Amino acid sequence: MIKSFSDLMKQAKASGPKKVAVAVAQDEVVLEALSEAAAEKIATPILFGDKAAIEEAAKKAKVDIRGWEINDIKDMAQASKAAVKAVSSGEADFLMKGLVATSIFLKAVLDKEVGLRTGRLLSHVAVMEMKLYPKLFLLTDGGMNVKPDLMAKVDIINNAVGISRKLGVENPKVAVLTAIETVNPDMPETIDASHLAKMNERGQIKGCLVDGPLALDLAVSAEAAAHKKVKSLVAGDADIFLTPEIASGNMLAKGLIYLGGAQAAGLIAGAGKPVVMLSRSDSKQQKLNSIALGVVSC
Ligand code: COD
């Protein structure tokens, strides 16, 4: 079982190197992370973007990109589409977002001709490591699906369970996060949470243990659950945290990273091939973690 990003890196070294197509690669931090990934022999970069800007960024970052394949495409949407095509055609093993807006990048991933659609819903998963939690955990979906309905949440859970399995967790525990642990019709997400828990109990969602509604304190602390007299097999031991919509997921992930010092990696799950997607402002280490996650997910 992969319990930390250092375990993930070891696993990536054992599975790599894999070819990564990078959409709009003219970013110093992206190039630094790719250089380290190449040196560690986990990934071989294929770059798409403005060649002059890529060379300029590499010079500033002091990254030696000699020998790296560069596809010179200035338009960001076109560069994203070409990177996606390289992955869907099998030329590259997985995709990575560079210095491009998320919506432009995701539109290329969803492109009807060259995209990485599978017929399933695609969703974003952040993998996180924190000093105060004893294992890696997944947070979903703070990056792609804006306001998922009940059935979209089922797909989002299934996608996250797939990533958990890649990390060696066979039967992950899923906490459906809300503000309280009881159903309140004025908070519709608590109704979805109770439906998801029942669907899991009745075998409509398989391969994991789902409980909700759960407030975050109960999801991460068995003591808090005991104190509030909530009996739950998930409380205090969740592997996957499902948030009600993109805003709460995004704020929770960024809060944990920026205020809580979390290490993170980001991936779009449910696509034909792994898609590494993080925020443009993420650090080199977060980007390297994400590349390792992409390699392990291949
Ligand atoms: N999975 C599979 N197919 C999808 C998904 C999905 N999650 N979302 C849309 N589609 C398909 C639809 O079925 C349709 O065929 C086509 O794509 C277009 O659908 P629209 O018109 O609803 O969607 P778009 O193209 O306008 O936008 C899709 C985005 C994913 C780009 C959009 O939802 C978005 O911008 N999401 C938020 C991304 C973001 O800003 N994240 C910020 C945090 S990093």
Side-chain angles (χ1 to χ4, degrees), residues 150 153 157 173-184 187-201 205 208-216 218-219 230-236 238 240-244:
L150 178 70
K153 287 177 184 174
I157 290 176
K173 295 179 178 174
V174 184
V176 186
L177 294 182
T178 55
I180 50 170
E181 48 285 344
T182 47
V183 172
N184 178 344
M187 299 181 186
E189 64 278 7
T190 63
I191 301 176
D192 274 3
S194 67
H195 287 168
L196 291 165
K198 184 54 93 180
M199 288 168 87
N200 176 243
E201 198 184 305
I205 304 172
C208 56
L209 194 58
V210 181
D211 199 12
L214 283 175
L216 183 63
L218 305 196
V230 173
K231 285 205 179 87
S232 165
L233 291 171
V234 172
I240 297 170
F241 299 88
L242 176 77
T243 59

Side-chain angles (χ1 to χ4, degrees), residues 4-282:
S4 65
F5 281 118
S6 109
D7 290 351
L8 183 72
M9 199 66 189
K10 278 185 209 142
Q11 183 63 42
K13 279 184 195 170
S15 329
K18 303 275 184 202
K19 288 185 187 160
V20 55
V22 186
V24 190
Q26 52 263 38
D27 179 88
E28 289 169 46
V29 186
V30 166
L31 294 174
E32 282 172 17
L34 286 167
S35 166
E36 202 160 322
E40 296 285 354
K41 297 196 170 44
I42 66 169
T44 308
I46 306 175
L47 309 184
F48 296 80
D50 182 330
K51 191 172 183 213
I54 291 173
E55 286 170 348
E56 182 67 27
K59 203 170 148 194
K60 275 195 195 150
K62 299 192 175 57
V63 170
D64 183 0
I65 57 169
R66 280 173 300 175
W68 292 14
E69 183 181 329
I70 304 177
N71 296 274
D72 186 16
I73 307 169
K74 288 189 178 47
D75 178 78
M76 291 192 181
Q78 291 305 323
S80 300
K81 204 168 156 180
V84 169
K85 192 174 174 194
V87 179
S88 56
S89 69
E91 190 194 324
D93 299 301
F94 71 103
L95 179 70
M96 179 176 179
K97 172 175 154 326
L99 193 64
V100 55
T102 301
S103 58
I104 295 178
F105 177 73
L106 286 178
K107 278 177 200 286
V109 171
L110 291 170
D111 186 273
K112 286 208 169 85
E113 280 166 37
V114 303
L116 294 162
R117 288 168 177 250
T118 52
R120 287 190 295 159
L121 188 86
L122 275 61
S123 52
H124 186 263
V125 174
V127 178
M128 307 212 126
E129 179 179 341
M130 296 198 77
K131 285 200 180 76
L132 293 175
Y133 206 63
K135 55 186 173 181
L136 289 178
F137 60 91
L138 276 55
L139 183 58
T140 188
D141 174 347
M144 184 163 191
N145 292 283
V146 175
K147 212 169 180 293
D149 62 14
L150 178 70
M151 295 316 287
K153 287 177 184 174
V154 172
D155 289 341
I156 291 171
I157 290 176
N158 286 331
N159 284 343
V161 168
I163 302 294
S164 266
R165 294 236 169 86
K166 297 274 185 190
L167 300 176
V169 183
E170 269 311 305
N171 197 38
K173 295 179 178 174
V174 184
V176 186
L177 294 182
T178 55
I180 50 170
E181 48 285 344
T182 47
V183 172
N184 178 344
D186 290 334
M187 299 181 186
E189 64 278 7
T190 63
I191 301 176
D192 274 3
S194 67
H195 287 168
L196 291 165
K198 184 54 93 180
M199 288 168 87
N200 176 243
E201 198 184 305
R202 294 279 159 91
Q204 275 181 276
I205 304 172
K206 294 186 173 64
C208 56
L209 194 58
V210 181
D211 199 12
L214 283 175
L216 183 63
D217 52 345
L218 305 196
V220 300
S221 161
E223 289 76 30
H227 193 72
K228 289 191 179 168
K229 298 193 172 29
V230 173
K231 285 205 179 87
S232 165
L233 291 171
V234 172
D237 194 29
D239 298 288
I240 297 170
F241 299 88
L242 176 77
T243 59
E245 32 63 60
I246 193 169
S248 51
N250 197 282
M251 286 181 229
L252 180 56
K254 287 184 176 149
L256 293 177
I257 294 169
Y258 283 89
L259 301 173
Q263 278 295 321
L267 196 76
I268 296 289
K273 301 274 178 69
V275 176
V276 168
M277 190 180 98
L278 347 82
S279 182
R280 278 164 284 177
S281 57
D282 278 334

